[in-house]
Amino acid sequence: MAATLIQNIRLLVNTRSTEKPLRGKEMQELPCIPDAYMIIEDGIIAATGSMNELPYREGHFSTVTDASGQLLLPAWCDSHTHLVFPASREEEFIDKIKGLSYAEIAAKGGGILNSAAKLQAMSESDLLNESRKRLDEISRMGTGVVEIKSGYGLTTEGEIRMLRVIKKLKEESPVAIKASFLGAHTYPPAYKENHEGYIRLLTEEMLPLIAGEKLADYIDVFCEEGFFSPEETEKICLAGMAVGLKPRIHANQLHASGGVQTGVKLGAISVDHLESMDEEAVRSLAGSDTIGTLLPTAAFFLRMPYQPARQLIDAGCAIALATDYNPGSSPSGNMNLVAAMSCIQMRMLPEEVINAATLNGAFALELQKDYGSLVAGKKASFILTKQVPGLAYLFYAFGQSHIDKVMLNGEWL
Ligand code: NIG
Ligand code: FE
């Protein structure tokens, strides 16, 4: 059997397997092997260990890569993106510079509705081509697992078109992908005064079709003032759960309006954003099995306070980090930037950041058996860094690429 050896790895990072997402203090522990090797067979990690215990001679391997001075870390698991979208929205970027808020832009027909209008005019193949470019780009930046949402269709046909594009990407890409149905992203104009009617469309028309074609793994709702109330969120999630879709929710982004508690009550796999937390929301999340997913680049882009990562971790929450890659609030899918910002602006330790952006991200997508850490039996999906002084340097020297090469499922990109 053709086996690949990577040898003399300065530090093999995150060699843990665990049954549950890491929470609270556990997030500071990051098992690593200095001066390590990794053996890869058929796209799977066959063995890892210290160089002085390497069980074979070099001649045994079909390929040998020397990683002296370099770090090897699990590919990023980006558990929250909207990377299938029709086009960028830099016209709104200018409005934002001039002082308009996210809510004000949405109220004047910008925001999600702007993307929804653009999506209606776009063919499935153009949407696929544009989205594929973004996916390729983030994979070269080290992302090996990604969640992608619908939510710019807002019609049955549009939502299904988006989910079919995600399905095609799933089939063709070396990046592991999970799909979420986010028909409840905003109320389309025709249903502005008829929430009941849109919820019926979501639950009685869209959901059965999506479940029938197995187009989604999760159901998502934008639970927010002016969007979907906690009661509406619950109703939509329960309908999704009835057809086998677990909930993951956009919660507490602009207001502390009960989204976190709704997610916890429903047993959501994750509640995401969390810029606007109050004591009750923190307590509720800490006492649950729901993962809190922080999206610092969205806070950065909207000039909002960052998520209270320290408070959440110190309260015992399980935290993941993701990009929220989308044209309105985070036009970047760069997990390296998310990681740096999490250290610099949210005071997360480098070890906590890596755990949140790899293993806990994999848990948030239920892919922890195959991804999220570097242990025998998991997929060989990882980042080989350039020669760097150490782990903290990756996030300290922000805004530049420290990646030498990326391997996904045993293939170098
Ligand atoms: O996660 N908050 C809701 N949805 C996205 C933004 C989508 C958009 O503006 O296009 C988010 O920030
Ligand atoms: Fe989002």
Side-chain angles (χ1 to χ4, degrees):
M1 196 185 299
T4 296
L5 170 70
I6 304 182
Q7 65 177 359
N8 301 321
I9 303 162
R10 178 182 186 143
L11 195 67
L12 183 71
V13 178
N14 203 351
T15 54
R16 162 158 41 195
S17 51
T18 146
E19 293 300 308
K20 285 185 157 202
L22 305 170
R23 55 172 58 246
K25 278 226 168 344
E26 292 169 347
M27 293 189 63
Q28 278 181 35
E29 293 157 27
L30 183 70
C32 297
I33 306 175
D35 194 22
Y37 72 85
M38 176 188 277
I39 300 172
I40 300 150
E41 282 173 8
D42 291 333
I44 307 287
I45 301 169
T48 62
S50 291
M51 275 310 285
N52 55 21
E53 292 164 358
L54 180 61
Y56 306 98
R57 292 180 187 277
E58 269 189 42
H60 175 84
F61 300 97
S62 55
T63 331
V64 177
T65 299
D66 189 87
S68 297
Q70 299 173 277
L71 316 183
L72 202 82
L73 42 145
W76 303 123
C77 300
D78 185 354
S79 57
H80 181 137
T81 85
H82 309 246
L83 81 71
V84 172
F85 59 81
S88 58
R89 303 205 308 253
E90 54 288 7
E91 62 280 12
E92 292 174 13
F93 177 53
I94 303 302
D95 280 342
K96 279 193 193 96
I97 292 171
K98 291 181 178 162
L100 265 65
S101 71
Y102 184 81
E104 285 163 340
I105 289 168
K108 70 175 221 190
I112 297 162
L113 291 177
N114 181 352
S115 285
K118 287 176 174 157
L119 188 123
Q120 286 307 320
M122 196 161 185
S123 73
E124 189 169 316
S125 66
D126 286 349
L127 189 61
L128 176 63
N129 289 338
E130 289 306 307
S131 306
R132 184 188 288 124
K133 284 185 215 160
R134 293 180 203 120
L135 184 61
D136 286 349
E137 195 172 14
I138 65 165
S139 67
R140 285 194 298 275
M141 294 191 286
T143 297
V145 175
V146 72
E147 181 261 10
I148 311 177
K149 302 172 195 298
S150 69
Y152 294 121
L154 309 180
T155 61
T156 303
E157 187 280 325
E159 286 296 306
I160 290 196
R161 183 153 25 112
M162 286 191 76
L163 290 167
R164 286 197 181 133
V165 166
I166 301 172
K167 189 176 179 183
K168 289 224 174 72
L169 294 172
K170 242 188 212 190
E171 288 160 2
E172 67 179 39
S173 175
V175 180
I177 298 175
K178 288 277 180 116
S180 302
F181 171 47
L182 178 59
H185 202 181
T186 191
Y187 284 100
Y191 290 94
K192 203 162 179 264
E193 307 303 333
N194 179 13
H195 288 193
E196 279 292 315
Y198 189 58
I199 293 174
R200 267 202 307 279
L201 185 71
L202 289 171
T203 58
E204 291 172 19
E205 186 173 303
M206 298 190 202
L207 264 176
L209 289 170
I210 290 162
E213 268 192 65
K214 294 204 184 343
L215 287 172
D217 303 293
Y218 300 102
I219 179 128
D220 196 343
V221 178
F222 187 18
C223 183
E224 181 58 62
E225 286 177 24
F227 294 82
F228 293 81
S229 70
E231 295 71 31
E232 292 167 342
T233 300
E234 185 170 338
K235 200 165 171 182
I236 296 161
C237 288
L238 287 171
M241 290 161 80
V243 294
L245 307 183
K246 289 190 192 164
R248 47 189 330 113
I249 298 179
H250 280 75
N252 295 50
Q253 181 182 12
L254 310 175
H255 302 92
S257 45
V260 166
Q261 290 91 320
T262 303
V264 166
K265 179 175 165 197
L266 290 164
I269 193 103
S270 172
V271 287
D272 301 27
H273 269 291
L274 316 187
E275 285 90 331
S276 310
M277 294 292 276
D278 54 17
E279 287 291 331
E280 204 190 317
V282 174
R283 224 176 304 117
S284 161
L285 187 60
S288 76
D289 284 333
T290 298
I291 294 171
T293 300
L294 313 184
L295 312 169
T297 49
F300 169 70
F301 190 79
L302 298 184
R303 291 185 203 90
M304 288 192 60
Y306 287 91
Q307 292 83 4
R310 268 287 38 99
Q311 190 191 353
L312 294 170
I313 295 173
D314 296 344
C317 298
I319 294 301
L321 288 165
T323 63
D324 198 16
Y325 194 6
N326 78 75
S329 65
S330 181
S332 163
N334 186 348
M335 281 294 282
N336 306 284
L337 181 61
V338 166
M341 256 183 213
S342 302
C343 288
I344 298 165
Q345 294 292 338
M346 302 202 295
R347 297 176 176 274
M348 287 175 71
L349 295 165
E351 292 79 8
E352 292 172 327
V353 164
I354 289 182
N355 279 321
T358 60
L359 198 49
N360 276 4
F363 271 101
L365 297 176
E366 301 173 288
L367 287 171
Q368 71 277 4
K369 291 248 178 315
D370 286 325
Y371 296 95
S373 59
L374 300 176
V375 294
K378 289 200 187 192
K379 307 270 188 194
S381 288
F382 55 76
I383 296 167
L384 184 60
T385 71
K386 296 174 185 167
Q387 294 196 345
V388 288
L391 199 58
Y393 184 84
L394 297 176
F395 312 133
Y396 152 85
F398 76 96
Q400 48 192 297
S401 173
H402 302 300
I403 297 180
D404 176 19
K405 291 198 271 192
V406 176
M407 178 177 276
L408 295 183
N409 303 326
E411 303 286 339
W412 293 113
L413 295 189

PDB file of all heavy atoms in Angstrom, residues 155-178:
ATOM      1  N   THR A 155     -37.753  31.994  -1.928  1.00  0.00           N
ATOM      2  CA  THR A 155     -38.881  31.379  -2.635  1.00  0.00           C
ATOM      3  C   THR A 155     -38.564  29.886  -2.661  1.00  0.00           C
ATOM      4  O   THR A 155     -37.391  29.508  -2.482  1.00  0.00           O
ATOM      5  CB  THR A 155     -38.994  31.855  -4.095  1.00  0.00           C
ATOM      6  OG1 THR A 155     -37.774  31.477  -4.777  1.00  0.00           O
ATOM      7  CG2 THR A 155     -39.186  33.365  -4.204  1.00  0.00           C
ATOM      8  N   THR A 156     -39.557  29.076  -2.899  1.00  0.00           N
ATOM      9  CA  THR A 156     -39.307  27.632  -2.911  1.00  0.00           C
ATOM     10  C   THR A 156     -38.244  27.305  -3.954  1.00  0.00           C
ATOM     11  O   THR A 156     -37.257  26.619  -3.678  1.00  0.00           O
ATOM     12  CB  THR A 156     -40.614  26.880  -3.229  1.00  0.00           C
ATOM     13  OG1 THR A 156     -41.571  27.275  -2.253  1.00  0.00           O
ATOM     14  CG2 THR A 156     -40.423  25.380  -3.189  1.00  0.00           C
ATOM     15  N   GLU A 157     -38.421  27.859  -5.131  1.00  0.00           N
ATOM     16  CA  GLU A 157     -37.484  27.561  -6.225  1.00  0.00           C
ATOM     17  C   GLU A 157     -36.072  28.082  -5.897  1.00  0.00           C
ATOM     18  O   GLU A 157     -35.079  27.394  -6.112  1.00  0.00           O
ATOM     19  CB  GLU A 157     -38.053  28.179  -7.516  1.00  0.00           C
ATOM     20  CG  GLU A 157     -37.309  27.822  -8.779  1.00  0.00           C
ATOM     21  CD  GLU A 157     -36.054  28.664  -8.969  1.00  0.00           C
ATOM     22  OE1 GLU A 157     -36.056  29.862  -8.598  1.00  0.00           O
ATOM     23  OE2 GLU A 157     -35.052  28.108  -9.451  1.00  0.00           O
ATOM     24  N   GLY A 158     -36.002  29.282  -5.361  1.00  0.00           N
ATOM     25  CA  GLY A 158     -34.697  29.881  -5.063  1.00  0.00           C
ATOM     26  C   GLY A 158     -33.950  29.143  -3.961  1.00  0.00           C
ATOM     27  O   GLY A 158     -32.743  28.924  -4.043  1.00  0.00           O
ATOM     28  N   GLU A 159     -34.665  28.768  -2.927  1.00  0.00           N
ATOM     29  CA  GLU A 159     -34.027  28.036  -1.822  1.00  0.00           C
ATOM     30  C   GLU A 159     -33.525  26.683  -2.309  1.00  0.00           C
ATOM     31  O   GLU A 159     -32.427  26.246  -1.958  1.00  0.00           O
ATOM     32  CB  GLU A 159     -35.012  27.856  -0.659  1.00  0.00           C
ATOM     33  CG  GLU A 159     -35.263  29.133   0.141  1.00  0.00           C
ATOM     34  CD  GLU A 159     -34.009  29.636   0.841  1.00  0.00           C
ATOM     35  OE1 GLU A 159     -33.387  28.869   1.569  1.00  0.00           O
ATOM     36  OE2 GLU A 159     -33.658  30.812   0.642  1.00  0.00           O
ATOM     37  N   ILE A 160     -34.338  26.030  -3.123  1.00  0.00           N
ATOM     38  CA  ILE A 160     -33.929  24.709  -3.619  1.00  0.00           C
ATOM     39  C   ILE A 160     -32.750  24.846  -4.574  1.00  0.00           C
ATOM     40  O   ILE A 160     -31.817  24.035  -4.541  1.00  0.00           O
ATOM     41  CB  ILE A 160     -35.148  23.983  -4.229  1.00  0.00           C
ATOM     42  CG1 ILE A 160     -36.058  23.625  -3.055  1.00  0.00           C
ATOM     43  CG2 ILE A 160     -34.743  22.779  -5.070  1.00  0.00           C
ATOM     44  CD1 ILE A 160     -37.102  22.625  -3.272  1.00  0.00           C
ATOM     45  N   ARG A 161     -32.758  25.909  -5.370  1.00  0.00           N
ATOM     46  CA  ARG A 161     -31.609  26.143  -6.267  1.00  0.00           C
ATOM     47  C   ARG A 161     -30.321  26.290  -5.442  1.00  0.00           C
ATOM     48  O   ARG A 161     -29.289  25.717  -5.762  1.00  0.00           O
ATOM     49  CB  ARG A 161     -31.865  27.406  -7.102  1.00  0.00           C
ATOM     50  CG  ARG A 161     -30.788  27.706  -8.103  1.00  0.00           C
ATOM     51  CD  ARG A 161     -31.269  28.493  -9.331  1.00  0.00           C
ATOM     52  NE  ARG A 161     -32.448  29.289  -9.086  1.00  0.00           N
ATOM     53  CZ  ARG A 161     -32.488  30.645  -9.078  1.00  0.00           C
ATOM     54  NH1 ARG A 161     -31.401  31.332  -9.311  1.00  0.00           N
ATOM     55  NH2 ARG A 161     -33.610  31.290  -8.851  1.00  0.00           N
ATOM     56  N   MET A 162     -30.392  27.062  -4.372  1.00  0.00           N
ATOM     57  CA  MET A 162     -29.197  27.234  -3.529  1.00  0.00           C
ATOM     58  C   MET A 162     -28.749  25.903  -2.928  1.00  0.00           C
ATOM     59  O   MET A 162     -27.557  25.586  -2.914  1.00  0.00           O
ATOM     60  CB  MET A 162     -29.492  28.204  -2.382  1.00  0.00           C
ATOM     61  CG  MET A 162     -29.589  29.648  -2.801  1.00  0.00           C
ATOM     62  SD  MET A 162     -29.619  30.741  -1.351  1.00  0.00           S
ATOM     63  CE  MET A 162     -27.900  30.724  -0.845  1.00  0.00           C
ATOM     64  N   LEU A 163     -29.718  25.128  -2.430  1.00  0.00           N
ATOM     65  CA  LEU A 163     -29.357  23.859  -1.780  1.00  0.00           C
ATOM     66  C   LEU A 163     -28.812  22.851  -2.799  1.00  0.00           C
ATOM     67  O   LEU A 163     -27.942  22.041  -2.462  1.00  0.00           O
ATOM     68  CB  LEU A 163     -30.564  23.294  -1.024  1.00  0.00           C
ATOM     69  CG  LEU A 163     -30.954  24.106   0.227  1.00  0.00           C
ATOM     70  CD1 LEU A 163     -32.327  23.685   0.745  1.00  0.00           C
ATOM     71  CD2 LEU A 163     -29.903  23.943   1.337  1.00  0.00           C
ATOM     72  N   ARG A 164     -29.298  22.931  -4.028  1.00  0.00           N
ATOM     73  CA  ARG A 164     -28.735  22.034  -5.059  1.00  0.00           C
ATOM     74  C   ARG A 164     -27.300  22.416  -5.383  1.00  0.00           C
ATOM     75  O   ARG A 164     -26.460  21.555  -5.641  1.00  0.00           O
ATOM     76  CB  ARG A 164     -29.592  22.089  -6.328  1.00  0.00           C
ATOM     77  CG  ARG A 164     -30.897  21.340  -6.156  1.00  0.00           C
ATOM     78  CD  ARG A 164     -31.554  21.047  -7.501  1.00  0.00           C
ATOM     79  NE  ARG A 164     -32.802  20.355  -7.262  1.00  0.00           N
ATOM     80  CZ  ARG A 164     -33.971  20.660  -7.825  1.00  0.00           C
ATOM     81  NH1 ARG A 164     -34.034  21.645  -8.720  1.00  0.00           N
ATOM     82  NH2 ARG A 164     -35.058  19.979  -7.533  1.00  0.00           N
ATOM     83  N   VAL A 165     -27.028  23.703  -5.383  1.00  0.00           N
ATOM     84  CA  VAL A 165     -25.647  24.152  -5.606  1.00  0.00           C
ATOM     85  C   VAL A 165     -24.750  23.617  -4.478  1.00  0.00           C
ATOM     86  O   VAL A 165     -23.659  23.093  -4.719  1.00  0.00           O
ATOM     87  CB  VAL A 165     -25.581  25.697  -5.703  1.00  0.00           C
ATOM     88  CG1 VAL A 165     -24.149  26.197  -5.582  1.00  0.00           C
ATOM     89  CG2 VAL A 165     -26.206  26.160  -7.018  1.00  0.00           C
ATOM     90  N   ILE A 166     -25.233  23.717  -3.250  1.00  0.00           N
ATOM     91  CA  ILE A 166     -24.444  23.199  -2.116  1.00  0.00           C
ATOM     92  C   ILE A 166     -24.210  21.693  -2.290  1.00  0.00           C
ATOM     93  O   ILE A 166     -23.101  21.191  -2.074  1.00  0.00           O
ATOM     94  CB  ILE A 166     -25.131  23.501  -0.764  1.00  0.00           C
ATOM     95  CG1 ILE A 166     -25.321  25.018  -0.587  1.00  0.00           C
ATOM     96  CG2 ILE A 166     -24.323  22.922   0.392  1.00  0.00           C
ATOM     97  CD1 ILE A 166     -26.164  25.432   0.621  1.00  0.00           C
ATOM     98  N   LYS A 167     -25.251  21.002  -2.733  1.00  0.00           N
ATOM     99  CA  LYS A 167     -25.117  19.544  -2.927  1.00  0.00           C
ATOM    100  C   LYS A 167     -24.062  19.227  -3.997  1.00  0.00           C
ATOM    101  O   LYS A 167     -23.244  18.323  -3.823  1.00  0.00           O
ATOM    102  CB  LYS A 167     -26.477  18.964  -3.333  1.00  0.00           C
ATOM    103  CG  LYS A 167     -26.505  17.457  -3.337  1.00  0.00           C
ATOM    104  CD  LYS A 167     -27.884  16.934  -3.637  1.00  0.00           C
ATOM    105  CE  LYS A 167     -27.882  15.410  -3.666  1.00  0.00           C
ATOM    106  NZ  LYS A 167     -29.197  14.877  -4.037  1.00  0.00           N
ATOM    107  N   LYS A 168     -24.051  20.000  -5.080  1.00  0.00           N
ATOM    108  CA  LYS A 168     -23.037  19.786  -6.128  1.00  0.00           C
ATOM    109  C   LYS A 168     -21.639  20.025  -5.566  1.00  0.00           C
ATOM    110  O   LYS A 168     -20.705  19.268  -5.845  1.00  0.00           O
ATOM    111  CB  LYS A 168     -23.278  20.732  -7.313  1.00  0.00           C
ATOM    112  CG  LYS A 168     -24.498  20.371  -8.138  1.00  0.00           C
ATOM    113  CD  LYS A 168     -24.196  20.468  -9.647  1.00  0.00           C
ATOM    114  CE  LYS A 168     -25.373  19.960 -10.470  1.00  0.00           C
ATOM    115  NZ  LYS A 168     -26.534  20.894 -10.432  1.00  0.00           N
ATOM    116  N   LEU A 169     -21.497  21.082  -4.787  1.00  0.00           N
ATOM    117  CA  LEU A 169     -20.181  21.373  -4.198  1.00  0.00           C
ATOM    118  C   LEU A 169     -19.748  20.217  -3.288  1.00  0.00           C
ATOM    119  O   LEU A 169     -18.595  19.809  -3.292  1.00  0.00           O
ATOM    120  CB  LEU A 169     -20.228  22.682  -3.403  1.00  0.00           C
ATOM    121  CG  LEU A 169     -20.470  23.961  -4.219  1.00  0.00           C
ATOM    122  CD1 LEU A 169     -20.685  25.155  -3.290  1.00  0.00           C
ATOM    123  CD2 LEU A 169     -19.317  24.246  -5.175  1.00  0.00           C
ATOM    124  N   LYS A 170     -20.715  19.704  -2.529  1.00  0.00           N
ATOM    125  CA  LYS A 170     -20.455  18.553  -1.653  1.00  0.00           C
ATOM    126  C   LYS A 170     -19.901  17.375  -2.453  1.00  0.00           C
ATOM    127  O   LYS A 170     -18.973  16.702  -2.034  1.00  0.00           O
ATOM    128  CB  LYS A 170     -21.799  18.082  -1.071  1.00  0.00           C
ATOM    129  CG  LYS A 170     -21.952  18.159   0.398  1.00  0.00           C
ATOM    130  CD  LYS A 170     -23.258  17.478   0.818  1.00  0.00           C
ATOM    131  CE  LYS A 170     -23.829  18.152   2.025  1.00  0.00           C
ATOM    132  NZ  LYS A 170     -24.952  17.467   2.672  1.00  0.00           N
ATOM    133  N   GLU A 171     -20.502  17.146  -3.616  1.00  0.00           N
ATOM    134  CA  GLU A 171     -20.109  15.987  -4.418  1.00  0.00           C
ATOM    135  C   GLU A 171     -18.730  16.156  -5.038  1.00  0.00           C
ATOM    136  O   GLU A 171     -17.995  15.186  -5.202  1.00  0.00           O
ATOM    137  CB  GLU A 171     -21.155  15.736  -5.519  1.00  0.00           C
ATOM    138  CG  GLU A 171     -22.449  15.172  -4.965  1.00  0.00           C
ATOM    139  CD  GLU A 171     -23.645  15.353  -5.908  1.00  0.00           C
ATOM    140  OE1 GLU A 171     -23.467  15.885  -7.033  1.00  0.00           O
ATOM    141  OE2 GLU A 171     -24.752  14.970  -5.504  1.00  0.00           O
ATOM    142  N   GLU A 172     -18.378  17.383  -5.391  1.00  0.00           N
ATOM    143  CA  GLU A 172     -17.146  17.552  -6.174  1.00  0.00           C
ATOM    144  C   GLU A 172     -15.946  18.042  -5.379  1.00  0.00           C
ATOM    145  O   GLU A 172     -14.819  17.958  -5.865  1.00  0.00           O
ATOM    146  CB  GLU A 172     -17.411  18.506  -7.346  1.00  0.00           C
ATOM    147  CG  GLU A 172     -17.699  19.937  -6.884  1.00  0.00           C
ATOM    148  CD  GLU A 172     -17.933  20.910  -8.037  1.00  0.00           C
ATOM    149  OE1 GLU A 172     -18.572  20.514  -9.028  1.00  0.00           O
ATOM    150  OE2 GLU A 172     -17.468  22.057  -7.928  1.00  0.00           O
ATOM    151  N   SER A 173     -16.160  18.566  -4.174  1.00  0.00           N
ATOM    152  CA  SER A 173     -15.042  19.226  -3.483  1.00  0.00           C
ATOM    153  C   SER A 173     -14.371  18.306  -2.470  1.00  0.00           C
ATOM    154  O   SER A 173     -15.023  17.478  -1.840  1.00  0.00           O
ATOM    155  CB  SER A 173     -15.566  20.470  -2.755  1.00  0.00           C
ATOM    156  OG  SER A 173     -14.540  21.045  -1.995  1.00  0.00           O
ATOM    157  N   PRO A 174     -13.053  18.472  -2.278  1.00  0.00           N
ATOM    158  CA  PRO A 174     -12.377  17.740  -1.193  1.00  0.00           C
ATOM    159  C   PRO A 174     -12.706  18.321   0.182  1.00  0.00           C
ATOM    160  O   PRO A 174     -12.368  17.735   1.203  1.00  0.00           O
ATOM    161  CB  PRO A 174     -10.897  17.936  -1.516  1.00  0.00           C
ATOM    162  CG  PRO A 174     -10.817  19.207  -2.280  1.00  0.00           C
ATOM    163  CD  PRO A 174     -12.117  19.327  -3.052  1.00  0.00           C
ATOM    164  N   VAL A 175     -13.352  19.485   0.211  1.00  0.00           N
ATOM    165  CA  VAL A 175     -13.775  20.057   1.491  1.00  0.00           C
ATOM    166  C   VAL A 175     -15.033  19.318   1.934  1.00  0.00           C
ATOM    167  O   VAL A 175     -15.953  19.131   1.135  1.00  0.00           O
ATOM    168  CB  VAL A 175     -14.068  21.571   1.342  1.00  0.00           C
ATOM    169  CG1 VAL A 175     -14.511  22.172   2.665  1.00  0.00           C
ATOM    170  CG2 VAL A 175     -12.848  22.315   0.802  1.00  0.00           C
ATOM    171  N   ALA A 176     -15.089  18.896   3.184  1.00  0.00           N
ATOM    172  CA  ALA A 176     -16.300  18.252   3.712  1.00  0.00           C
ATOM    173  C   ALA A 176     -17.349  19.336   3.956  1.00  0.00           C
ATOM    174  O   ALA A 176     -17.040  20.364   4.570  1.00  0.00           O
ATOM    175  CB  ALA A 176     -15.982  17.519   5.003  1.00  0.00           C
ATOM    176  N   ILE A 177     -18.562  19.110   3.471  1.00  0.00           N
ATOM    177  CA  ILE A 177     -19.573  20.168   3.512  1.00  0.00           C
ATOM    178  C   ILE A 177     -20.846  19.679   4.201  1.00  0.00           C
ATOM    179  O   ILE A 177     -21.293  18.560   3.964  1.00  0.00           O
ATOM    180  CB  ILE A 177     -19.905  20.634   2.070  1.00  0.00           C
ATOM    181  CG1 ILE A 177     -18.653  21.228   1.414  1.00  0.00           C
ATOM    182  CG2 ILE A 177     -21.048  21.657   2.061  1.00  0.00           C
ATOM    183  CD1 ILE A 177     -18.823  21.613  -0.044  1.00  0.00           C
ATOM    184  N   LYS A 178     -21.432  20.536   5.024  1.00  0.00           N
ATOM    185  CA  LYS A 178     -22.774  20.306   5.564  1.00  0.00           C
ATOM    186  C   LYS A 178     -23.664  21.464   5.123  1.00  0.00           C
ATOM    187  O   LYS A 178     -23.198  22.613   5.029  1.00  0.00           O
ATOM    188  CB  LYS A 178     -22.745  20.230   7.093  1.00  0.00           C
ATOM    189  CG  LYS A 178     -22.117  18.942   7.630  1.00  0.00           C
ATOM    190  CD  LYS A 178     -23.109  17.792   7.652  1.00  0.00           C
ATOM    191  CE  LYS A 178     -22.518  16.499   8.167  1.00  0.00           C
ATOM    192  NZ  LYS A 178     -23.126  16.033   9.406  1.00  0.00           N
TER     193      LYS A 178
END
